[in-house]
């Protein structure tokens, strides 16, 4: 008797694998629902900086940090769960959310939040990829083993969102009478723009987002131009 | 004189002068950070580029194997010698490419570049098709995975492989499954150091490759039926020729079709899965139709029933048999 076309055990084996894959995704979705909720809350709180004078940042940032603590906790859960599986198999599911979480942390720190014992919070502080790993308690740019981590792309894309947000803030800070803030943002964004130009980009998401930085640069330059035209730029004490 | 460039005052500009010094990007506090990230990203882009190139070559070779296999006319234990030789030489080339690819896609990088490794699907298609033509069975995921791993390893091993090693990979595919399958592939693996990086097949590579196999089986069924006048299938060498009803490719296609219908949709890319399933359904129906045609006017008609139509065709078919 000739052997059957398909070994019956093959079907069961493949079916079991597909079902396992599906249940992993379901579990991930649940964790990501939580993370999304925390991230969008934090983003919502952060959006109030556009209507908050600098003197009242402290109270606002405290609230933001509360949201960030929840983000960190949820990312921890995600890291524990996702590290059991090949990282890049499921990375696409959370990369957007993690980028947004990163951007809330970078923005909060830039505005003077996220102070730690070693690094006091001050306006204009940029957290690096390594800082990000420390804060979230996960590795970054992992290459030698297969586990959850924050990638370079995620950090850079998060940073670009911050640049957009600061572009908007430069306008609103002037409205609130804080011209010095607009000037500081201008310097920061121009420096980052120069930094992004150092990268060799391929035609991918990152390149498209990097291309958008120039609009933020133009926006802040226009603001600074308006200020200088009217002699509204405050004299710089330092330097 | 042509090609003089002038500046705005009208005086000729000097050509081929010393190139202007490349403008130094203004450095600032963040430049070192970006330079470090650039190096990391470059490494990733370069690696992907290498993978894409090798992948394209492997895909081409696998397609050539499939074309060679489409010249086979019947299912039997051994491929015709000339076709086997073509397949072997292509496989040897693929093995070399796989060996260069293997170190790039170890560990975390296996899934990172999964989308650049479409060649593996194509390779699965070629290998499963070869296996089918020899044994009339579908090779299992794990068995095939070992075949691919051995292919990658065999070319990577620097010492000259023992004579016949290359053939052994093909014997995995060539062997009649009557011999117990699990023990065969272990031998080449034992000869090479286990530390040699190799390439693992993902389940998706396998499943999508088998989806494509149905298309090849359909083409094979069509040409072999048209040219030999018989439905490809059992009764070939080795296996139960005495069976009153040897299995034909029509039944195999039905079984393969139901196999995919019964499997839950793989959650990775539902759209691709549905599309492949649609194509598979069409292939199954085309082969079904072939089976019907052959029953209605085929040469193996029931005794005593002589169709008036297609009499000429029948004569030709009998000659070929």
């Amino acid at each position: 008797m000739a052997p059957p076309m398909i070994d019956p055990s093959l079907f069961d084996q493949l079916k079991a694998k597909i079902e396992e894959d599906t249940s992993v995704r379901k579990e991930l979705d649940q964790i990501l629902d939580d993370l999304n909720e925390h991230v969008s809350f934090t983003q919502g709180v952060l959006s109030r900086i556009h209507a908050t004078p600098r003197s009242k940042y402290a109270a606002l940032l405290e609230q933001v940090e509360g949201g960030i603590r929840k983000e960190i906790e949820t990312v921890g859960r995600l890291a524990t769960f996702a590290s059991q599986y090949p990282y890049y198999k499921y990375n696409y599911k959370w990369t957007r959310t993690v980028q947004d979480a990163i951007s809330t942390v970078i923005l909060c720190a830039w505005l003077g939040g996220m102070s730690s014992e070693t690094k006091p919070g001050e306006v204009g502080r940029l957290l690096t990829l390594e800082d990000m790993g420390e804060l979230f308690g996960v590795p970054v740019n992992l290459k030698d083993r297969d586990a959850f981590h924050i990638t370079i792309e995620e950090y850079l894309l998060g940073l670009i969102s911050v640049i957009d947000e600061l572009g908007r803030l430069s306008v609103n800070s002037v409205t609130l009478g804080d011209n010095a803030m607009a000037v500081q943002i201008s310097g920061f964004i121009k420096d980052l723009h120069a930094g992004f130009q150092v990268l060799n980009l391929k035609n991918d998401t990152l390149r498209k987002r990097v291309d958008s930085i120039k609009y933020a640069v133009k926006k802040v330059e226009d603001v600074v131009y308006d200020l200088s035209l009217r002699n509204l730029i405050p004299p710089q004490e330092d330097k | 004189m042509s090609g003089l460039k002038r500046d705005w005052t009208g005086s000729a500009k000097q050509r081929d002068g010393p190139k202007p010094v490349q403008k130094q990007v203004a450095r600032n506090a963040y430049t070192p950070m970006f330079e470090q990230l650039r190096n990391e990203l470059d490494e990733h882009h370069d690696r992907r580029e290498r993978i894409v190139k090798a992948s394209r070559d492997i895909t081409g070779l696998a397609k050539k194997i499939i074309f060679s296999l489409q010249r086979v006319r019947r299912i039997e234990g051994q491929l015709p010698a000339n076709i086997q030789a073509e397949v072997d030489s292509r496989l040897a080339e693929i093995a070399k490419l796989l060996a260069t690819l293997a170190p790039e896609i170890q560990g975390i990088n296996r899934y990172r570049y999964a989308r650049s490794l479409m060649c593996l699907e194509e390779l699965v298609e070629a290998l499963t098709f070869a296996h089918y033509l020899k044994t009339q069975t579908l090779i299992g995921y794990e068995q095939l995975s070992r075949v691919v791993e051995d292919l990658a390893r065999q070319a990577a091993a620097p010492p000259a492989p023992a004579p016949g090693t290359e053939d052994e990979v093909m014997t995995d595919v060539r062997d009649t499954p009557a011999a117990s399958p699990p023990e065969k592939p272990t031998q080449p693996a034992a000869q090479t150091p286990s530390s040699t990086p190799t390439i693992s097949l993902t389940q998706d590579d396998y499943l999508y490759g088998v989806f494509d196999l149905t298309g090849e089986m359909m083409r094979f069924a069509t040409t072999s039926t048209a040219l030999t006048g018989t439905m490809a299938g059992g009764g070939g060498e080795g296996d139960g020729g005495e069976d009153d009803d040897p299995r034909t490719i029509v039944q195999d296609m039905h079984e393969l079709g139901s196999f995919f219908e019964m499997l839950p949709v793989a959650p990775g890319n539902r759209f691709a899965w549905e599309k492949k399933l649609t194509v598979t359904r069409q292939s199954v129906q085309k082969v079904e139709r072939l089976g019907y045609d052959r029953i209605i006017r085929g040469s193996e008609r029931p005794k005593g029933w002589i169709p008036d139509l297609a009499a000429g065709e029948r004569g030709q078919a009998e000659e070929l048999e």
Side-chain angles (χ1 to χ4, degrees), chain A residues 1 3-6 10-11 13-15 17-18 21-22 25 86 88-89 124 126 128 141 143 145-146 149 152-153 155-156 188 191-192 194-196 198-200 202, chain B residues 28 30 33-35 37-38 40-45 108 111-112 132 136-138 140-142 177 203 206-207 243 247 252 255-256 259 262-268:
Chain A
M1 184 65 197
M5 168 68 183
I6 301 171
L10 176 64
F11 177 81
Q13 181 203 344
L14 294 173
K15 182 162 181 272
K17 279 273 193 66
I18 293 177
D21 191 9
T22 309
R25 282 164 207 264
Y88 280 103
K89 186 170 183 187
L126 174 65
T128 62
N141 190 26
K143 288 187 281 191
R145 64 199 164 89
D146 194 351
H149 63 274
I152 292 175
E153 286 92 339
Y155 172 74
L156 289 176
F188 179 69
D191 281 355
L192 283 187
F196 273 100
V198 168
L199 304 178
N200 300 319
K202 295 281 168 190
Chain B
N28 59 53
Y30 309 119
M33 174 182 104
F34 278 99
E35 281 172 344
L37 295 180
R38 173 186 63 192
E40 295 283 339
L41 284 175
D42 283 353
E43 193 187 307
H44 159 62
H45 290 141
I108 192 166
Y111 276 95
R112 185 174 199 181
Y132 178 79
Q136 212 192 344
T137 56
L138 176 66
Y141 165 57
E142 272 164 17
Q203 179 153 320
Y206 176 75
L207 283 171
D243 282 1
R247 215 172 69 223
D252 293 339
E255 200 173 330
L256 208 48
F259 174 81
M262 289 189 303
L263 272 183
V265 179

Side-chain angles (χ1 to χ4, degrees), chain B residues 69-310:
Chain B
L69 292 172
Q70 284 293 2
R71 291 197 280 273
V72 175
R73 292 289 165 252
R74 60 183 71 239
I75 299 172
E76 54 190 355
Q78 205 80 37
L79 293 178
N82 60 331
I83 291 176
Q84 181 70 52
E86 279 174 42
V87 171
D88 282 344
S89 77
R90 308 264 192 237
L91 267 185
E93 281 180 72
I94 289 180
K96 270 182 223 143
L97 287 165
L98 286 177
T100 61
L101 210 49
E104 312 267 22
I105 53 171
Q106 293 304 300
I108 192 166
N109 285 337
R110 178 60 186 85
Y111 276 95
R112 185 174 199 181
Y113 301 103
R115 248 173 271 165
S116 309
L117 285 169
M118 284 320 205
C119 61
L120 292 179
E121 264 178 54
E122 206 69 32
L123 183 60
V124 168
E125 183 182 343
L127 292 174
T128 50
F129 189 38
H131 186 86
Y132 178 79
L133 289 179
K134 290 166 182 166
T135 66
Q136 212 192 344
T137 56
L138 176 66
I139 188 169
Y141 165 57
E142 272 164 17
Q143 201 186 340
L144 185 65
S145 207
R146 276 194 298 264
V147 171
V148 174
E149 279 170 34
D150 292 340
L151 263 183
R153 259 197 221 108
Q154 133 211 325
T165 305
E166 191 148 303
D167 274 349
E168 256 168 88
V169 172
M170 274 318 291
T171 47
D172 286 346
V173 185
R174 187 190 300 150
D175 273 356
T176 46
S180 56
E183 65 181 43
K184 283 178 285 163
T186 54
Q187 210 187 349
Q191 289 171 349
T192 47
S194 55
S195 59
T196 317
T198 185
I199 292 178
S200 52
L201 277 186
T202 66
Q203 179 153 320
D204 280 352
D205 292 333
Y206 176 75
L207 283 171
Y208 284 95
V210 176
F211 265 127
D212 294 341
L213 167 68
T214 58
E216 296 309 327
M217 282 171 65
M218 182 273 288
R219 285 171 57 196
F220 168 73
T222 312
T223 44
S224 66
T225 314
L227 293 174
T228 67
T230 54
M231 185 55 69
E237 275 174 40
D239 45 43
E242 305 90 46
D243 282 1
D244 45 350
D245 234 353
R247 215 172 69 223
T248 66
I249 196 165
V250 183
Q251 283 145 293
D252 293 339
M253 285 295 282
H254 275 150
E255 200 173 330
L256 208 48
S258 309
F259 174 81
F260 278 119
E261 300 285 356
M262 289 189 303
L263 272 183
V265 179
N269 187 347
R270 283 165 186 280
F271 178 72
W273 180 277
E274 299 289 351
K275 218 167 115 186
K276 294 262 187 193
L277 190 56
T278 312
V279 176
T280 297
R281 282 182 192 136
Q282 286 168 354
S283 298
V284 171
Q285 290 189 14
K286 282 180 194 166
V287 177
E288 248 166 43
R289 180 76 202 182
L290 285 174
Y292 164 85
D293 284 351
R294 214 186 53 78
I295 290 295
I296 292 295
R297 18 169 219 228
S299 57
E300 284 181 10
R301 67 218 175 270
K303 272 176 197 158
W305 185 73
I306 302 163
D308 296 335
L309 298 167

